[in-house]
Amino acid sequence: MPQVPFDRYIRYAELTEILQAFVAEYPDLVRLESIGKSYEGRNIWLVTVTEFATGDPLDKPAFWCDGNIHASEVSATTAVLKILYKLVTERPALLKDRAFYLVPRLGPDG
């Protein structure tokens, strides 16, 4: 299980490692892709969370959540990671017929 520190700021490299750990732990529920690059060249990560075996995420009702648009919004990344954690550990039944699109940090250069 990925270790997510919910009590402190998570630096970009650690965030990337945490997201990759979720993919490794839950490959049937979590996918990670870059939706672009920041001004300083960092990937902007999109996490798609759904039960992929039950259909294409694009064919399911969806929920979008992003955080950390600005550098000073440090708690938003942690909040989005908490949603990811809860979905895969406590509410996986929601993922059968829904898709969740999570961007923990829209502004990774802060």
Side-chain angles (χ1 to χ4, degrees), residues 22-95:
F22 271 103
V23 173
E25 183 78 17
Y26 301 98
D28 298 332
L29 301 176
V30 179
R31 290 193 183 151
L32 180 65
E33 65 184 297
S34 175
I35 58 172
K37 297 281 188 178
S38 69
Y39 179 78
E40 294 180 2
R42 292 177 182 87
N43 284 309
I44 300 169
W45 296 120
L46 168 67
V47 184
T48 303
V49 189
T50 192
E51 189 174 312
F52 293 98
T54 62
D56 189 326
L58 296 176
D59 294 331
K60 300 177 182 181
F63 173 81
W64 174 277
C65 183
D66 56 55
N68 213 167
I69 296 170
H70 306 102
S72 62
E73 298 165 353
V74 297
S75 63
T77 294
T78 305
V80 176
L81 287 175
K82 187 69 163 189
I83 293 169
L84 171 59
Y85 176 84
K86 291 277 192 179
L87 285 170
V88 299
T89 63
E90 296 178 16
R91 302 283 190 239
L94 291 174
L95 304 175

